Amino acid sequence: TYFLYAERGGRIEGVLPLAHVNSRVFGNTLVSLPFAVYGGPVANDEATRLVLDAHALALAERLDVDHLEYRCQVRAHPDWACKDNLYATFRREIGPDPEKNLLAIPRKQRAVVRQSLKSGLEARLEPDVDLIYDLYAESVRNLGTPVFARQYFRNLKQVFGEACEISTVFGEGKPVGGVLSFYFRDQVLPYYAGGTPDARRFGAHDFMYYDLMNRAGANGITQFDFGRSKQGTGAFSFKKNWGFRPEFLPYEYRLRRGEEVRENNPLNPKYRLFIAAWKRLPLPIANLIGPYIVRNLG
């Protein structure tokens, strides 16, 4: 990891966190930021941004990476390669009134949420990560995706403290869904979520996100950031059904070799067999070897 900052007269004017992700299979990249939705330089003025850019490009040269990647929300480099139709983020205002939050959901999905409220579900805030990790690990295995290490979740909880909230949904006395969320200024960001096969039967995810909206709104949070999803996936459609409009993210790439960016995502057909095989792995094996793979994906 590299943490760049620009200083003028003893005052920090801009920051640019970067991570070097080097894999023989998935490529050699310098990214702001891996495992994150948003990234790139944050600067008070254009001169500061240009200084940060120059240092990032020099670092990319020194590390001999394939490309430098910024996960921007707006384009800043028209001459860089860009993927602006792969990932979209979903954000919307929320408030302290549960009924208004419910009425902001389109009619069809609102009926699904109302039904989940009658399923006898209960949401509990958890002090540690073990339950949410187990739920998340099972979900991503079922999707054919390697899981993070359990220690990564523990580190997130330790570093972010009260700004990292873990909510678990119980049905018939058993955990059926859960979400690890972050709070930042006026926003709540549900980041890692998972559930058991029973989650669909209970409507656990619908209950869980509506419960999070209301709890956050009651505490003065005004924006619900549903996070990014790939176009053409079930998660993308799920968030649209909640009335969130997709905002496509223009991720920018300064290529150093090659003419295009590698497609390191599950929609790439060349990973189809790997994904199908991963879904069949016993969960303990997937949890054991997954962290050694996922850290190279970024």
Side-chain angles (χ1 to χ4, degrees):
T1 51
Y2 299 86
F3 301 97
L4 309 184
Y5 69 93
E7 189 178 46
R8 181 188 295 121
R11 173 188 171 93
I12 293 178
E13 297 289 343
V15 296
L16 175 54
L18 294 159
H20 184 199
V21 183
N22 190 4
S23 166
R24 292 181 179 179
V25 177
F26 301 110
N28 183 12
T29 62
L30 188 62
V31 188
S32 180
L33 280 168
F35 309 134
V37 175
Y38 313 121
V42 179
N44 285 335
D45 52 59
E46 182 67 6
T48 301
R49 186 186 68 80
L50 291 174
V51 168
L52 292 169
D53 265 356
H55 279 264
L57 289 167
L59 181 60
E61 190 79 21
R62 178 162 64 84
L63 296 173
D64 194 28
V65 298
D66 300 332
H67 66 252
L68 169 66
E69 175 183 350
Y70 288 166
R71 297 186 175 178
C72 302
Q73 293 175 260
V74 295
R75 286 216 68 174
H77 304 87
D79 57 329
W80 289 21
C82 180
K83 289 184 181 179
D84 57 4
N85 61 358
L86 177 61
Y87 290 107
T89 190
F90 296 79
R91 294 177 293 188
R92 196 184 71 199
E93 289 187 358
I94 57 172
D97 187 337
E99 188 61 24
K100 287 185 178 180
N101 290 333
L102 186 61
L103 291 175
I105 303 170
R107 181 178 57 81
K108 188 175 180 180
Q109 179 62 35
R110 186 164 67 241
V112 175
V113 173
R114 289 190 189 278
Q115 187 61 36
S116 75
L117 298 176
K118 302 174 184 178
S119 299
L121 296 170
E122 177 189 4
R124 304 177 195 169
L125 299 185
E126 299 289 338
D128 57 53
V129 305
D130 286 332
L131 267 180
I132 180 57
Y133 181 83
D134 291 339
L135 291 164
Y136 177 77
E138 182 175 1
S139 292
V140 296
R141 189 282 310 271
N142 293 343
L143 292 171
T145 304
V147 71
F148 298 109
R150 189 181 298 267
Q151 187 61 42
Y152 172 64
F153 275 45
R154 289 173 177 161
N155 289 345
L156 291 174
K157 182 60 180 172
Q158 179 182 354
V159 170
F160 287 95
E162 292 183 358
C164 176
E165 179 189 271
I166 300 168
S167 175
T168 305
V169 174
F170 289 80
E172 296 178 353
K174 300 180 297 184
V176 292
V179 59
L180 184 152
S181 306
F182 295 103
Y183 286 86
F184 177 68
R185 295 179 179 169
D186 62 343
Q187 306 168 52
V188 60
L189 301 92
Y191 224 79
Y192 297 118
T196 68
D198 282 335
R200 182 182 295 272
R201 175 169 66 90
F202 283 105
H205 290 99
D206 308 286
F207 177 92
M208 178 176 73
Y209 290 122
Y210 179 61
D211 175 78
L212 178 59
M213 284 181 181
N214 293 333
R215 186 168 58 256
N219 289 320
I221 299 299
T222 59
Q223 187 172 84
F224 192 92
D225 188 326
F226 228 152
R228 76 175 191 183
S229 291
K230 300 179 191 72
Q231 187 170 204
T233 64
F236 188 99
S237 298
F238 178 78
K239 294 170 185 179
K240 282 189 69 176
N241 289 343
W242 278 72
F244 288 76
R245 293 179 57 189
E247 304 170 35
F248 284 93
L249 297 167
Y251 288 179
E252 297 184 322
Y253 306 83
R254 176 63 180 267
L255 302 177
R256 293 194 61 255
R257 58 174 62 91
E259 297 181 356
E260 58 184 23
V261 183
R262 291 188 184 212
E263 294 289 343
N264 290 335
N265 69 78
L267 299 182
N268 189 334
K270 76 177 185 178
Y271 297 128
R272 190 173 297 146
L273 292 178
F274 172 86
I275 291 171
W278 197 268
K279 291 179 179 181
R280 296 185 176 91
L281 282 179
L283 193 56
I285 295 176
N287 288 354
L288 178 66
I289 62 179
Y292 294 97
I293 299 174
V294 75
R295 65 185 179 186
N296 291 313
L297 289 174

